[in-house]
Amino acid sequence: MSQIHVTATINGDETEFLCDPTETLLDVLRDHLDLTGSKEGCGSGDCGACSIILDGRLVCSCLVLAAEAEGRSVETIEGMAEGDKLHPLQEKFIEHAALQCGICTPGILVAAKNLLERNPNPSEEEVRYWLAGNLCRCTGYDKIIRAVMDTAAEMRGAA
Amino acid sequence: MTRVKGAAHQDLAHDSAVKHVSGAAEYTDDIPEPVGTLHAYLGLSDVAHGRIAAMDLTAVRAAPGVVGVLTAEDIPGANDISPTGSGDDPVFPEKTVEFHGQPLFAVVATSRDAARRAAAQARIEIEPLPHALDPLAAIEAGYPEVTAPLTLQRGAVEDGMAAAPHRIRGRMVIGGQDHMYLEGHIAFAHPGEDEDVVVYSSSQHPSEAQHMVAHVLGVPSHSVVVNVRRMGGGFGGKETQMNLFAAVAAMAAKKWNRPVKIRPDRDQDMVATGKRHDFVADYAVGYDDNGRIQAVDGIFAARCGFSADLSGPVTDRALFHADNAYFYPHVRLTSRPMKTNTVSNTAFRGFGGPQGVIVAERMIEEIAYALGRDPLEIRKANFYRDGGDVTPYHQVVEDNILERIVGELENSADYQARRKAVIAANAKGDIIRRGIALTPVKFGISFTATWYNQAGALVHVYNDGSIMLNHGGTEMGQGLNIKVAQVVADAFQVDIDRIKITRTTTEKVPNTSATAASSGTDLNGMAALDACEQIKSRLVEFACETRGVEPGQVEFLPGRLRIGDEEIGFDALIKQAYMARVHLSAAGFYKTPKIHWDREEGKGRPFYYFAYGAACAEVAVDTLTGEYRVERVDILHDVGKSLNPVIDRGQVEGGFIQGMGWLTTEELWWDEAGRLRTHAPSTYKIPLASDRPRVFNVALADWSQNAERTIKRSKAVGEPPFMLGISVFEALSMAVASVADYRECPRLDAPATPERVLMAIERLKGTA
């Protein structure tokens, strides 16, 4: 099976990789590019642990073929902080203890960031339903929702 | 410095929080793979019960990328991974298949994808045999119990029942639950020299994985190392169920002398590994005009699956908690741990306890509806009286604080007024009905296998003053590591930043118990404290010798010590002690005092203490569709004097939501052929962010202290809050009952899916 050469912008860096036609973007991120922050929770787009942003749109990277990333922009959890400076959402998640085992955390942060880019002033209901595609088995979600609401308020204040 | 950062009883973030939010926390699947790493995948049975007539793996071996296969014949040592030594848990069965989804072989290939595709090429002929999938079918078919049943009794149940003014009999069907840890099973084995192998795994019980791998390889335990840095959730699902994956990876690594990783996909993980036990409980309760229980007789039949696994202790614990918070003057409780042709059920948060508690609450509900009273009144009338009442296992309840907890919650949640409002709203006869319930939990803490209540820790103080902490517990998100590190920071009076928490490994602390039964902090915190105290006493001795003072004149202050009139920094003293050849490392140990248990007699003190809590839930139910939502939940939970309140609150919130999921949306459904049809999050529904109660008030009982001398007077927190989810179930029941004017107990089975709720509404409307 011949491999496909793909050029994509990943977390702002132009990146080239070779992939099999059947490989998912999640597998390429994890296995070829050492970006293991995106996790495989189900492999069927139901848990959100592999959430990334593809050309501004929140997607499950397990449902995207790697070849589809050609010429597009990919944002993963690894690109969320600027160097050592954490994104406000990351800081608030720590402050609110909005994580336990941490394996759903990258996907939830990516999803929450995408929400706040679309809607800087979401209602709590909007946050709860936006994050309904990201499963968390540990926290019970309350701290996550509070952290997102608090971040949104703070970012609005700073803007 | 007046107070050390990160000492006990402070709010402190999870030690890996920064790594968690940046995607840098390394889980087993994130460990870089050495060149040449192979990948294994399991081939499963597609028959629930049958004789293996032929296994043709030719096409599997010939598939692209395949290096080889492993079957029962390739097992160098024993083909058994039974955690209790019952000999009924093969890695791969040799003659008989016992459930749909049972692993039959493993294929090893150059990539996971190649292995996965190859596994599907197997041609396996199985001559089907009759199967029994649930406990009632198993009883009817004359199936054996997977382990000896237990009976707990006290008083004279027949006489008590006969003398009671009222009696009710009923049956409750209680569903199981998949763990749905977001990180599935995984093991990654690296071969070493001689018979050595190192296994990186996501296991709650590294020592058992070590012993099982050694057993399967036919080598001594000293040749096997198991390492666990962190898990992406466990909940009991990784206590014994990881052993098969660890054994397969280790066998393959030794056979081909290459690193081998095995990670099933989610569907295979759910089909092939055990879950919470489903139960069918038959109960009889006798009570008086005031709702005081006189006698209880209960039989608890469980779907154990094809092997014993932990079903003995799980079904035991169902009986231990079938009283929940209530005193039964005459009682007989019997378990029926039934063999079934399903995956072998296993540990899951609460370990059978929740299935016992919910039956106690069902009986309370029955009495309340029969007498036309508020179930909370009936609950209060039956609470254990502190210091006198005895449990069905003959342990005296000495530390009961439920009256205060329930009283405070009743006030803070405004229960009485809200219940009146709910009844008034329902009286209008609208389509949307409401329900409210306040339920308590009392949960016994300790492994009922008494020998499990031991732990070890290893603490090094390096000569630069930095500290390495290791203990036998595993981190699965519960914050065990940070809590134990706080104990160490507190003991040495140093900032927590100088303490390095290191991965759990069988090389540092041997013969550990599973991180389970909520015991992680209780056991490992005490073991770590013991190690600290040993080092501290050597430092005190050194200080006394060099300064000519008495031990009473040496004091550990934040970041420093006072020795007589002198103050010296911790680092400086450590340097001096090292130069004077003081041993700065210690292995700590702890065993829980006071506990004992005689299973034959059904008597003892299996629990060191009890943890308590209560929750008040209000729901709204659409009586035309059965759909519902949780409007408000208030929780007051007892964690003793919390080591880390923010971490403990997380356990309470997460436990509650998980318990709510068990009783509402999470439905395991097998078809007649024994296939699990809810085998991925597409069909198996755990709670979502959108399901979180609209109002969610969670508080810890900050006045509580453990009556026993536990670590810093804290209490275990992992399992007890799980049962707070029963409040939602009971509130749903009330909303359903409203359609028949609360005259009849709706007898909802669990989980109360919208479908079941609707059927109950229709049934009650029919009788109304």
Side-chain angles (χ1 to χ4, degrees):
Chain A
M1 197 157 38
S2 67
Q3 294 214 305
I4 299 173
H5 178 267
V6 177
T7 305
T9 305
I10 299 182
N11 296 326
D13 295 330
E14 190 176 293
T15 307
E16 295 178 58
F17 58 82
L18 291 172
C19 65
D20 289 334
T22 57
E23 259 182 309
T24 66
L25 182 54
L26 174 63
D27 284 344
V28 165
L29 291 171
R30 289 185 53 82
D31 298 342
H32 300 342
L33 302 175
D34 293 328
L35 295 171
T36 55
S38 306
K39 310 295 182 187
E40 182 183 309
C42 68
S44 56
D46 293 302
C47 79
C50 65
S51 298
I52 59 152
I53 297 169
L54 186 65
D55 278 348
R57 184 173 164 206
L58 179 66
V59 297
C60 289
S61 59
C62 73
L63 295 184
V64 178
L65 289 171
E68 292 181 271
E70 172 63 37
R72 301 171 81 176
S73 152
V74 175
E75 295 169 61
T76 72
I77 186 65
E78 286 86 353
M80 199 156 165
E82 284 177 37
D84 289 341
K85 173 109 184 72
L86 295 177
H87 185 277
L89 272 167
Q90 292 173 308
E91 285 177 350
K92 288 291 178 195
F93 267 56
I94 296 172
E95 185 186 319
H96 287 264
L99 49 87
Q100 286 176 19
C101 86
I103 202 152
C104 71
T105 310
I108 289 184
L109 281 166
V110 168
K113 178 168 177 273
N114 192 247
L115 169 66
L116 298 189
E117 282 164 2
R118 290 158 182 268
N119 178 2
N121 190 12
S123 68
E124 193 186 90
E125 183 141 346
E126 284 169 327
V127 171
R128 287 195 295 107
Y129 279 88
W130 183 267
L131 293 179
N134 291 81
L135 302 183
C136 168
R137 193 51 152 166
C138 298
T139 63
Y141 302 106
D142 190 56
K143 300 175 294 183
I144 291 170
I145 295 159
R146 287 174 198 267
V148 175
M149 293 298 289
D150 192 13
T151 311
E154 195 173 285
M155 286 176 78
R156 284 196 306 277
Chain B
M1 188 160 69
T2 54
R3 192 171 180 219
V4 297
K5 180 186 163 200
H9 312 306
Q10 293 178 16
D11 276 344
L12 218 62
H14 193 286
D15 46 284
S16 295
V18 173
K19 292 193 283 282
H20 286 152
V21 300
S22 16
E26 192 178 79
Y27 300 82
T28 304
D29 197 35
D30 304 333
I31 296 171
E33 295 169 8
V35 173
T37 294
L38 300 174
H39 299 263
Y41 209 79
L42 298 173
L44 308 184
S45 159
D46 57 4
V47 172
H49 189 200
R51 267 187 290 275
I52 302 172
M55 237 171 51
D56 179 2
L57 302 178
T58 317
V60 179
R61 289 176 207 274
V66 169
V67 174
V69 297
L70 292 172
T71 66
E73 290 169 11
D74 300 296
I75 295 168
N79 184 12
D80 182 50
I81 46 171
S82 163
T84 51
S86 50
D88 60 353
D89 228 331
V91 179
F92 300 126
E94 288 160 42
K95 295 192 178 86
T96 310
V97 164
E98 301 207 81
F99 73 96
H100 198 292
Q102 183 167 21
L104 301 179
F105 68 93
V107 52
V108 179
T110 49
S111 74
R112 183 168 173 268
D113 189 50
R116 201 174 160 200
R117 288 173 192 275
Q121 302 297 315
R123 291 201 189 91
I124 297 168
E125 263 179 63
I126 299 171
E127 295 164 2
L129 295 167
H131 59 253
L133 300 176
D134 64 65
L136 297 181
I139 290 170
E140 198 171 314
Y143 268 43
E145 284 155 336
V146 291
T147 184
L150 174 68
T151 298
L152 299 180
Q153 54 189 328
R154 216 198 52 254
V157 73
E158 271 91 7
D159 296 349
M161 201 67 79
H166 312 280
R167 284 174 292 281
I168 294 176
R169 282 182 180 281
R171 166 173 285 182
M172 184 175 194
V173 179
I174 305 152
Q177 185 177 29
D178 189 85
H179 303 84
M180 202 50 223
Y181 28 56
L182 263 282
E183 176 208 38
H185 282 280
I186 183 163
F188 190 12
H190 295 227
E193 60 181 23
D194 302 326
E195 292 169 328
D196 297 355
V197 63
V198 177
V199 183
Y200 297 84
S201 179
S202 181
S203 168
Q204 289 175 243
H205 199 347
S207 280
E208 186 175 273
Q210 174 198 25
H211 299 153
M212 290 298 163
V213 167
H215 196 55
V216 168
L217 292 180
V219 303
S221 288
H222 66 47
S223 298
V224 181
V225 174
V226 176
N227 294 323
V228 181
R229 174 59 187 93
R230 63 172 62 79
M231 282 169 271
F235 315 112
K238 296 171 178 172
E239 184 172 341
T240 64
Q241 300 295 296
M242 188 63 73
N243 294 334
L244 183 136
F245 299 96
V248 167
M251 272 196 292
K254 291 310 282 184
K255 182 169 172 126
W256 286 284
N257 200 31
R258 306 256 292 266
V260 178
K261 188 196 273 192
I262 183 166
R263 175 170 71 83
D265 64 15
R266 175 62 60 179
D267 306 75
Q268 188 169 91
D269 186 297
M270 284 186 73
V271 165
T273 68
K275 312 172 191 317
R276 181 185 297 285
H277 291 65
D278 329 50
F279 276 74
V280 177
D282 289 305
Y283 55 86
V285 55
Y287 57 98
D288 67 17
D289 294 338
N290 295 316
R292 285 285 301 235
I293 293 170
Q294 307 295 309
V296 167
D297 196 359
I299 298 175
F300 292 73
R303 171 170 14 212
C304 295
F306 80 100
S307 70
D309 186 73
L310 299 172
S311 293
V314 166
T315 49
D316 286 3
R317 196 174 266 268
L319 303 193
F320 284 124
H321 288 86
D323 59 343
N324 190 19
Y326 313 115
F327 175 56
Y328 300 159
H330 302 281
V331 57
R332 179 173 58 209
L333 305 165
T334 305
S335 67
R336 301 281 327 259
M338 297 311 301
K339 174 169 179 152
T340 50
N341 295 114
T342 49
V343 66
S344 191
N345 281 333
T346 192
F348 193 148
R349 200 176 202 167
F351 205 69
Q355 295 95 316
V357 170
I358 198 164
V359 174
E361 295 305 331
R362 164 57 47 86
M363 290 188 286
I364 295 285
E365 219 191 347
E366 293 264 27
I367 297 167
Y369 283 106
L371 294 176
R373 304 266 290 274
D374 176 355
L376 183 58
E377 283 176 49
I378 309 299
R379 294 191 164 101
K380 289 178 178 175
N382 287 287
F383 280 160
Y384 279 102
R385 286 159 306 178
D386 198 15
D389 287 342
V390 181
T391 62
Y393 42 94
H394 300 256
Q395 174 166 352
V396 179
V397 179
E398 293 171 328
D399 57 4
N400 194 359
I401 52 171
L402 262 182
E403 215 160 297
R404 180 167 176 190
I405 286 196
V406 167
E408 288 189 8
L409 184 68
E410 197 178 340
N411 288 333
S412 66
D414 199 17
Y415 172 81
Q416 295 299 347
R418 285 169 60 210
R419 181 175 153 88
K420 281 198 188 83
V422 163
I423 290 170
N426 287 343
K428 292 179 194 155
D430 290 345
I431 289 164
I432 305 292
R433 295 298 178 92
R434 291 176 175 267
I436 186 168
L438 195 161
T439 62
V441 62
K442 157 183 141 288
F443 198 78
I445 303 298
S446 292
F447 287 100
T448 54
T450 302
W451 67 91
Y452 258 38
N453 296 286
Q454 59 171 310
L458 182 65
V459 174
H460 300 329
V461 181
Y462 293 103
N463 68 21
D464 65 351
S466 68
I467 297 169
M468 189 242 31
L469 165 63
N470 196 273
H471 56 80
T474 54
E475 176 64 42
M476 59 196 100
Q478 80 279 47
L480 169 63
N481 280 343
I482 190 77
K483 286 165 78 172
V484 177
Q486 286 175 273
V487 169
V488 174
D490 209 77
F492 286 116
Q493 287 292 299
V494 298
D495 280 349
I496 200 159
D497 303 341
R498 74 164 67 212
I499 300 165
K500 175 72 180 176
I501 297 161
T502 53
R503 73 179 176 209
T504 313
T505 171
T506 54
E507 281 185 313
K508 280 184 180 158
V509 178
N511 308 321
T512 56
S513 297
T515 308
S518 309
S519 69
T521 306
D522 279 11
L523 297 177
N524 295 289
M526 285 299 245
L529 182 62
D530 177 46
C532 297
E533 293 299 337
Q534 292 176 47
I535 297 170
K536 281 171 70 180
S537 72
R538 291 181 210 138
L539 290 171
V540 169
E541 190 183 333
F542 165 70
C544 291
E545 277 171 19
T546 50
R547 271 76 171 179
V549 297
E550 293 300 312
Q553 294 171 271
V554 183
E555 198 182 350
F556 284 76
L557 299 173
R560 64 199 194 279
L561 285 86
R562 182 178 297 139
I563 307 170
D565 298 329
E566 175 196 350
E567 282 204 2
I568 179 169
F570 183 78
D571 291 352
L573 183 84
I574 290 296
K575 194 66 151 187
Q576 288 179 8
Y578 165 73
M579 294 304 290
R581 298 185 291 179
V582 173
H583 185 203
L584 295 174
S585 169
F589 186 76
Y590 176 72
K591 54 181 179 180
T592 310
K594 295 189 179 180
I595 50 173
H596 55 92
W597 172 240
D598 183 339
R599 193 174 186 272
E600 297 302 313
E601 289 288 312
K603 286 183 183 174
R605 177 182 177 162
F607 304 122
Y608 189 28
Y609 64 89
F610 296 98
Y612 300 90
C616 177
E618 183 176 343
V619 301
V621 175
D622 183 329
T623 54
L624 295 182
T625 65
E627 290 170 297
Y628 47 79
R629 65 186 207 188
V630 181
E631 300 287 358
R632 175 173 166 182
V633 170
D634 296 73
I635 291 173
L636 182 61
H637 195 78
D638 158 38
V639 297
K641 191 164 162 54
S642 175
L643 280 173
N644 185 329
V646 72
I647 292 276
D648 286 350
R649 260 189 57 151
Q651 287 294 300
V652 174
E653 293 173 6
F656 167 82
I657 296 287
Q658 201 173 58
M660 178 182 88
W662 168 51
L663 296 170
T664 55
T665 57
E666 297 184 36
E667 187 172 29
L668 290 167
W669 200 83
W670 284 266
D671 66 16
E672 286 177 1
R675 275 178 296 195
L676 177 66
R677 303 312 289 265
T678 49
H679 52 77
S682 52
T683 43
Y684 183 79
K685 294 300 179 186
I686 70 167
L688 308 174
S690 47
D691 297 321
R692 194 215 57 182
R694 294 323 193 245
V695 178
F696 196 29
N697 301 316
V698 179
L700 303 178
D702 56 11
W703 41 264
S704 174
Q705 289 212 11
N706 201 327
E708 298 294 341
R709 297 177 64 85
T710 53
I711 186 72
K712 306 282 176 193
R713 298 281 180 179
S714 64
K715 285 191 180 184
V717 65
E719 293 163 297
F722 181 88
M723 281 144 279
L724 300 175
I726 293 171
S727 59
V728 174
F729 187 76
E730 299 273 315
L732 288 170
S733 181
M734 181 187 175
V736 171
S738 74
V739 304
D741 205 22
Y742 315 102
R743 284 192 304 271
E744 185 182 341
C745 178
R747 292 193 172 178
L748 279 175
D749 284 334
T753 56
E755 188 182 9
R756 280 218 179 88
V757 167
L758 183 61
M759 289 193 294
I761 288 168
E762 294 295 316
R763 193 177 69 240
L764 261 62
K765 275 183 178 166
T767 61

